[in-house]
Structure formats: C-alpha cells, structure tokens
Amino acid sequence: MDLTHSPAEEEFRARLREWLAKVLPTLPPKPSPDDWPGRRAYDLGWQRMLYDAGYADVHWDASPTMRLIFLEETERAGAPYVGAGFVGLLHAGPTIAAEGTAEQRARWLPPILRGEEVWCQGFSEPDAGSDLAALRTRARRDGDEYVVTGSKIWTSHAEVADWCELLVRTDAEAPKHRGISWLAMPMDTPGVTVRPLRTLAGSTEFAEVFLDEVRVPVANRVGEENDGWRVTMVTLSFERGTAFVGEVVACRRALGEVAREARANGRWDDSVVRRRLGRLNAEFRTLWRLTQWNVSAAESSGGVPGVGGSVFKLRYSRARQELYDVAADVLGPDALDLGRGWVLDRLSSLSYTIAAGTSEIQRNIVGERILGLPKG
Amino acid sequence: MRFQLTEDQRALRDGVRGLLARRFGAEALRAAVDRPGLDRGLWRELGAAGFFSLCLSEAEGGVGLGLPEAVLVFEEAGRALLPGPLVATHLAAGEIPGAATGEVVVTAVGGGGLVEWLDEADVVVGEAGEAVELRSVDPLTPLHRVPGADSSVRPDDLFVLLTAAEQLGTAVRACEAAVQHARTREQFGRPVGAFQAVKHLCAELLVRVEVARAAVYAAAVTADPVDIAAARLLADEAAVRGARDCLQVHGGMGFTWEADVHLCLKRAWVRAERGGSITQSEELLAGELLIEAG
Ligand SMILES: Cc1cc2nc3c(=O)[nH]c(=O)nc-3n(C[C@H](O)[C@H](O)[C@H](O)COP(=O)(O)OP(=O)(O)OC[C@H]3O[C@@H](n4cnc5c(N)ncnc54)[C@H](O)[C@@H]3O)c2cc1C
C-alpha cells in the first residue's frame, strides 16, 4: 500500500500546475448552458490547448496515476471540464482504442484528441433503457453499407456531435444479446434528424435522434457483426468505471465552497448542518481513495476497468445528490432561485442515479457479477 | 503510487486468517459465547505470532512493521470476531512489560468512559478506580463504565484506526454471511438471493465494505487524523448497517441466538462507542473543510 508519487509523477504535476496557472486566465468567458455552438467551441478549444501543450492523451496513453494527477490538478485549478468531449474522450475513444482496427484508430482517435470532433452515444431507445439489449433500431446490409432505421433517445450532446457510437440490430432472428452491432455513424448523414429534449433543469442537454434509411459504411463497424454486445460492455465499463472519476475532485471543491458559504451566512452555527458537511467530507475523501485503489488495481492488471466501477458509481451518484441537498439547506430560500450557484447543479445531480445505468441496475450488477447471486 | 497490497502484506493477511480460522473458527466462537472468559492460551499464541509486537522495532523485540500491516491484522481479527482488549494490548506493547508477548493483558478506558474486559485484564491504562459493571450487550465483551469520565476527550488516533480496521473485518464477515445465506436459502422455489429486494441489500453491503476498506487502508498509509476520522465513520457504518442488513437477509433465523449475526452487530455497537463520539469525528471533518477552502 503506497500513496506516494514517483519523482517523474511529481514533476508532471509541477509542470502541469505551472502551465494551468499561465493559460487559465487567457480563456474566454464560459458560454451559457444553452448556447450549444458556444459550448462546443469552448470545450473543443480547451481540448486543443491541452493537445498543443502535450496533455491531450492523458486519458488514454499516460499511466493511470498520471491521469489522476491530471484530474486533481485541473479540477483544483478550476480548469474546464471535458464537456462536449465527454463521450469521445472518456468512452467512445477508449472503446475504439481497445476494440478498433488500426485504420479505425487512425481515423477516429486523433481528431478526438485534437479537439476537432464531438461524439455522442446512441444506445438507449424509447423501449430499451435499462433493458438495453431490447433495442430495435435495425441495420439491413446493402453491399458495403448498412441501412439503418429506428430511433434513439436521451442522446447527450447530439445537437453538436459529429459522430455517434450507435447500437443497431443486425440480426433480428438471433437471441437479443447476439444480434447487435456497434457502429460509428456520422451525424450529418442524410436521414438523421435530431430533436432536442428539454431536461428538468430547463436546458437541452440531450435529444431524440431519428434514423430513417441512414447509410453507414460497413467499415465503420467496430468489432464483428453481431458481436456488438461484447463491445458495448467495454464501452459501459469505461463509462461506469472511469468516466466520472474527475468529478469527485470537483465535488470536493464544491463542498469546501458550501462550507465557506455556510460560515458566511450563519448556517454553520447549526451543528446538524456541520455534521452533514463533515460526513460528506468523509464521503468524498474516501471516494477519491476508492478511485486510487481501483486505478492501482487496473494499473497492475492492465486494460479495461472491471465491474468495480459499479460500486463506485452507486456510492458516488448518491453522494453527489446529498452534496447539493446540503447546499440547498445552506442556501435556505435562495435554493429556490435558479440564478444562484448550486441550484442548477442540484437539478442536474438528479440524473446521476439514472444516467449510465440506474442505481437499481448497478445493484443487480454488483449482486450478480461480483457477489455471484443468482439472476432474478 | 501503488495503493494495493504488496506480496508480503497479502502473505501476512493470509497467515493471520489461517491462524484465526484454526484457533478461533465458528465452533470456538460459539464455545466462547457459552463460556465467556478470556482464553489466555490463545492470547499467548497471538503474542507468539507477533500480533501485539507487530509494530515494535526489531531492537525492541518486535517485527518492525507499520500501520498498514497492523490494519490488515486487525481487519482479520474483526472478521473472526476475536474477543478481548486487542487494540489496547497492541498499543501497550513496548510500554507495558509482557504486553508484546501476550503474557499480560492490557485494557484501557475508552470512549464514553467504557472499559472492556476489566476483570480479566492485568493492567488498565487510564483511571478506572470507581468503574461500575454493566450488563454488556455483547456476550463477548464484558464492560465497565467509569462514572463521570470525561467523554469529551478524543481517543488516541491509533486506537480509533485499529478499531475501524476491526469494524471493516466484521463488515466483511456480515457481507459474506449474507451472501452465503442468500445463495442457499430457498423460498418460492428459488434462492432468496434471486429476489431483488434481497440482492440489493447484499449489493449495498458490499459497497459499504469497499468504501470502508478504501478509507481504512488510506488512513493507515497517511496516519492523518482527518483520514482516520473518515475511516472511522465509514467503517462504523459498514459494520453496524452491514450486520443489520445481514440479519434481515437471514429472516427469522437472523433473530436467533444460534445465528452468528447478532454477535457481529453487538460487537460493532461496542466498537462504535470505543471510537469516541461520532459527532466529534464529524466536526473534525467539517472543520477541515474550512481550512482547505482557506
Ligand atoms: C442526463 C442523462 C443523459 C443520458 N445520456 C445518454 C446518452 O448520451 N446516450 C444514451 O444512449 N443514453 C443516455 N441516457 C439514458 C440512460 O442510460 C437511461 O435513461 C437509463 O439507462 C435508464 O433507462 P430508462 O430511462 O429507459 O428507464 P427504465 O429502464 O424505463 O427504468 C425505469 C425505472 O425502472 C427501474 N428498472 C428498470 N429495470 C429494472 C430492473 N431490471 N430491476 C430493477 N429496477 C429496474 C429503473 O431503475 C428505473 O427506476 C441518459 C440519461 C440521462 C438521465
């Protein structure tokens, strides 16, 4: 058990810290949440700066420990989050890196790293959410193209995406987990229609995507035909296992701000509030330790994160909601004012126990795949 | 950063687990419940195996290992529900002659003025003159209480951390027991673990164990008081909540004296008091937020 860093790692941290201090003041102001073109430009611009400074591939090629240092330092400095780059950098990219051919890696990975292309995730459908394998979007083979028809829902960032990691049914006769394929679909192909959906926070975070005879080259398939469920499990293990890790540091920062606010407005004098804040401090400190533990485990075994990500996600998604509930308690009546900080965060935290597999589904995974309990 | 067990640590843990399984397995546990009293023979064997002298330097006749190793050993003790003032004796090694070898049993006045195993101990750390016997809820932890003891004194950090390690071990035991029962007990023609209400209880048991483990191990590495306070809160939660959920998974069986579940819960309650008041740990963690935030 060792939590110390090597000289090389400490040097990486020091250089990064210095660089952040230099570039962060030069960033343009953050666009408003509903200004999608603005958000796209801002998020990609940040990724480009990382690329030019040699930090772009920290999510993939650097050692997992370097990645944790990167997340700690960028969050602490208040640097932009991956934003529109989420799917590309944190799960589509890693999936292509793990499962794609050499040509596929060469075609798709560099633009993600350079901040040139945005990806979205077309997995869920109106009748296939938790039961993802029940998806019905069809892909009929026509020469060296698939002709895709169906619809997707809750597709985050679809409005500004260039590519979609798309799950389609390539064999309607096969058992439901066997007839699925994983495709990379350009979002500007004729037949793709995006209809924004409004979230309870009032923004258009995600969308419905309608697919009408959309032609996707067979060469865009990652993995074998009808073997897409296996590839999907790789994607989901990145999504649940590593994609949220950086947010823990952000939550710790927010918690400190809530405590400071409580001291300023007098809520700190309420010992119930202090005790809840103290417990949350224990929670987020430990979630970071759990992350270090999981990352060390992955570092020694190499490769794709294991189902332990479900353990992390269950606890993290609940802790995040509790954090913003305490923030609301500290704000008092101001918690009803959408203009106040944390109020939108509180609203968006409600999605954490749903998106990327609900908490109920994660408990099934922990119960069945880690503890070996029988399927229901 | 290599925040995983080393080969040596794994070997140490497995060795202690093996020793405790041989010397204090399920039957010995039941027998101890029927005939309470400290097993001096076992105590000396633990001493001979280095249980109490683990962290003493070799010059002092110890093994010269660190806090992470001590935490692994105490986790195993917690998993075995090993009785006795283990933490107090371990911390007295090197200070009180005979403690390191297990010849002398040392207890201490702990959180809330409680003293464990007072009548069986050879030495008491702290002032226990007027101690009054309680009818202890845990059949394997006799308790006395010192009236008027200053309950605002925060127990020693090492005391709290090793107690948290024991809580972690007991939480592991509760999780294993719940899963074992859920796999084998059948109702409605299938194992009860196939039902989501039960499966989800088991899943949350494991989540609390893994979270507590990360907290306890990290605190052992850093020995930082705030990390120790966090470890304490999460390990108490894992042990107490875990034992209750394990009891629920066992149904009527769980409410009996024969099932070991109640032993997990009662020990977890005793140890939760040993760490001092929960509020103090929470306040320490809250205060640190302001320091960090500047
Ligand atoms: C903010 C946000 C962003 C998202 N982004 C994307 C995206 O970019 N791409 C994408 O493909 N999807 C995305 N999703 C979709 C998300 O993955 C699904 O919403 C989620 O998997 C749940 O599916 P559902 O909405 O169909 O709910 P349902 O599956 O209908 O579930 C309804 C309720 O039933 C429970 N339930 C269902 N089945 C079981 C079961 N077997 N056992 C116990 N309980 C069960 C659920 O836990 C839930 O409480 C996003 C969702 C949100 C909220």
Side-chain angles (χ1 to χ4, degrees):
Chain A
M1 280 184 237
D2 180 12
L3 285 163
T4 56
H5 291 114
S6 69
E9 288 163 347
E10 285 304 348
E11 197 191 308
F12 171 79
R13 185 195 295 279
R15 247 189 313 120
L16 175 60
R17 196 176 281 187
E18 203 177 306
W19 180 74
L20 287 166
K22 198 169 72 206
V23 301
L24 290 182
T26 71
L27 284 182
K30 254 199 163 100
S32 87
D34 263 337
D35 173 10
W36 270 108
R39 281 176 66 177
R40 179 188 155 105
Y42 184 86
D43 296 342
L44 293 186
W46 171 241
Q47 181 60 27
R48 179 72 207 196
M49 286 167 76
L50 289 173
Y51 180 84
D52 289 339
Y55 294 113
D57 63 350
V58 73
H59 295 295
W60 301 347
D61 289 345
S63 80
T65 303
M66 295 282 198
R67 177 167 179 246
L68 291 192
I69 293 173
F70 175 83
L71 292 170
E72 266 178 341
E73 291 302 321
T74 46
E75 272 303 336
R76 240 177 233 159
Y81 187 54
V82 281
F86 187 88
V87 172
L89 282 164
L90 301 184
H91 54 86
T95 304
I96 292 164
E99 296 289 331
T101 62
E103 298 87 74
Q104 290 175 332
R105 291 202 294 269
R107 165 63 191 88
W108 288 314
L109 301 186
I112 293 174
L113 292 181
R114 287 195 301 261
E116 288 163 6
E117 292 182 345
V118 169
W119 284 66
C120 65
Q121 180 190 41
F123 284 11
S124 307
E125 296 185 7
D127 293 323
S130 299
D131 187 9
L132 182 55
L135 63 93
R136 287 204 295 246
T137 292
R138 289 269 206 122
R140 166 171 59 81
R141 186 91 176 240
D142 181 20
D144 53 9
E145 288 178 330
Y146 289 112
V147 182
V148 181
T149 297
S151 70
K152 294 289 169 179
I153 198 163
W154 323 126
T155 317
S156 302
H157 309 152
E159 278 180 85
V160 290
D162 305 287
W163 293 90
C164 178
E165 46 171 13
L166 186 72
L167 292 188
V168 294
R169 187 158 295 288
T170 31
D171 182 354
E173 307 305 318
K176 71 180 185 179
H177 293 89
R178 303 260 172 78
I180 294 171
S181 298
W182 197 107
L183 305 181
M185 176 184 78
M187 289 296 282
D188 60 0
T189 318
V192 178
T193 311
V194 176
R195 187 174 76 86
L197 290 166
R198 204 153 170 226
T199 73
L200 55 69
S203 62
T204 57
E205 199 64 42
F206 46 35
E208 249 178 311
V209 178
F210 300 97
L211 306 163
D212 182 18
E213 302 264 308
V214 179
R215 303 189 83 86
V216 180
V218 170
N220 285 19
R221 191 189 64 228
V222 174
E224 295 304 308
E225 184 167 283
N226 299 328
D227 191 30
W229 187 250
R230 195 187 55 77
V231 183
T232 304
M233 289 303 109
V234 173
T235 310
L236 294 184
S237 72
F238 284 114
E239 186 175 9
R240 292 164 186 170
T242 45
F244 295 112
V245 159
E247 299 178 16
V248 174
V249 193
C251 285
R252 284 192 66 189
R253 193 169 44 136
L255 184 63
E257 287 163 11
V258 173
R260 236 181 322 187
E261 170 75 22
R263 224 225 326 232
N265 75 7
R267 291 292 284 141
W268 186 258
D269 298 337
D270 182 343
S271 71
V272 174
V273 170
R274 282 200 313 273
R275 292 181 60 182
R276 284 171 74 195
L277 289 167
R279 275 209 167 254
L280 279 167
N281 191 13
E283 196 73 32
F284 284 110
R285 286 173 89 87
T286 302
L287 281 164
W288 187 250
R289 298 308 193 186
L290 186 60
T291 297
Q292 291 175 315
W293 183 266
N294 288 342
V295 159
S296 290
E299 203 158 23
S300 37
S301 66
V304 179
V307 278
S310 292
V311 169
F312 173 83
K313 187 182 182 271
L314 269 167
R315 191 79 179 205
Y316 167 65
S317 54
R318 195 189 67 195
R320 187 175 174 113
Q321 291 173 359
E322 283 171 9
L323 163 63
Y324 288 107
D325 282 343
V326 174
D329 205 359
V330 167
L331 286 175
D334 281 359
L336 303 178
D337 175 1
L338 284 173
R340 276 301 307 248
W342 303 327
V343 179
L344 279 175
D345 296 317
R346 186 186 194 199
L347 291 175
S348 67
S349 76
L350 299 172
S351 73
Y352 277 74
T353 44
I354 300 170
T358 67
S359 291
E360 289 70 33
I361 295 301
Q362 307 300 336
R363 287 189 197 99
N364 287 347
I365 292 172
V366 172
E368 288 162 16
R369 290 207 251 148
I370 302 182
L371 298 177
L373 292 170
K375 278 191 178 293
Chain B
M1 187 190 73
R2 201 163 178 287
F3 190 30
Q4 294 287 301
L5 301 198
T6 62
E7 284 303 317
D8 287 349
Q9 287 170 339
R10 236 182 279 272
L12 172 70
R13 183 198 58 193
D14 294 348
V16 175
R17 185 175 295 179
L19 167 74
L20 293 179
R22 277 194 309 279
R23 275 301 268 113
F24 200 74
E27 271 167 35
L29 176 64
R30 299 275 171 78
V33 173
D34 291 340
R35 279 179 282 99
L38 204 60
D39 180 345
R40 290 281 183 153
L42 174 55
W43 206 259
R44 274 189 289 270
E45 270 182 66
L46 292 172
F51 197 97
F52 303 117
S53 59
L54 199 68
C55 297
L56 284 188
S57 68
E58 285 172 46
E60 291 172 291
V63 192
L65 293 174
L67 210 43
E69 286 76 20
V71 151
L72 292 175
V73 167
F74 275 82
E75 176 184 342
E76 291 307 317
R79 186 160 167 274
L81 289 175
L82 192 62
L86 297 159
V87 176
T89 302
H90 177 93
L91 292 177
E95 310 262 320
I96 293 171
T101 56
E103 292 301 321
V104 168
V105 175
V106 182
T107 190
V109 182
L114 290 168
V115 195
E116 301 173 15
W117 294 97
L118 182 62
D119 291 341
E120 305 258 3
D122 304 309
V123 178
V124 186
V125 177
E127 194 42 64
E130 307 287 303
V132 181
E133 186 171 2
L134 308 183
R135 282 183 58 212
S136 175
V137 66
D138 176 11
L140 286 177
T141 314
L143 287 173
H144 283 69
R145 184 157 190 203
V146 183
D150 184 357
S151 58
S152 69
V153 178
R154 212 161 57 84
D156 177 66
D157 275 335
L158 293 186
F159 205 77
V160 174
L161 178 60
L162 295 180
T163 297
E166 287 187 291
Q167 293 286 57
L168 168 62
T170 296
V172 170
R173 184 191 188 104
C175 182
E176 287 170 350
V179 171
Q180 171 68 16
H181 190 76
R183 274 207 204 116
T184 45
R185 169 68 172 171
E186 292 197 4
Q187 289 291 288
F188 302 97
R190 56 206 318 199
V192 293
F195 300 112
Q196 273 188 344
V198 175
K199 182 179 295 170
H200 288 189
L201 277 181
C202 293
E204 288 292 339
L205 270 156
L206 182 77
V207 170
R208 286 190 297 258
V209 163
E210 293 303 324
V211 168
R213 184 188 303 286
V216 169
Y217 289 3
V221 173
T222 67
D224 173 73
V226 183
D227 279 337
I228 291 175
R232 180 267 160 110
L233 289 180
L234 294 164
D236 280 356
E237 179 196 343
V240 172
R241 191 70 247 167
R244 294 184 80 131
D245 286 353
C246 177
L247 197 150
Q248 182 68 20
V249 168
H250 278 73
M253 187 65 204
F255 195 69
T256 67
W257 191 262
E258 281 114 274
D260 295 342
V261 190
H262 70 109
L263 299 174
C264 292
L265 178 59
K266 291 164 177 173
R267 189 73 61 83
W269 275 337
V270 168
R271 293 199 207 101
E273 285 299 327
R274 200 197 286 161
S277 108
I278 294 261
T279 313
Q280 282 173 339
S281 301
E282 290 166 335
E283 291 277 5
L284 180 70
L285 281 149
E288 190 254 359
L289 286 173
L290 293 179
I291 297 165
E292 271 222 336

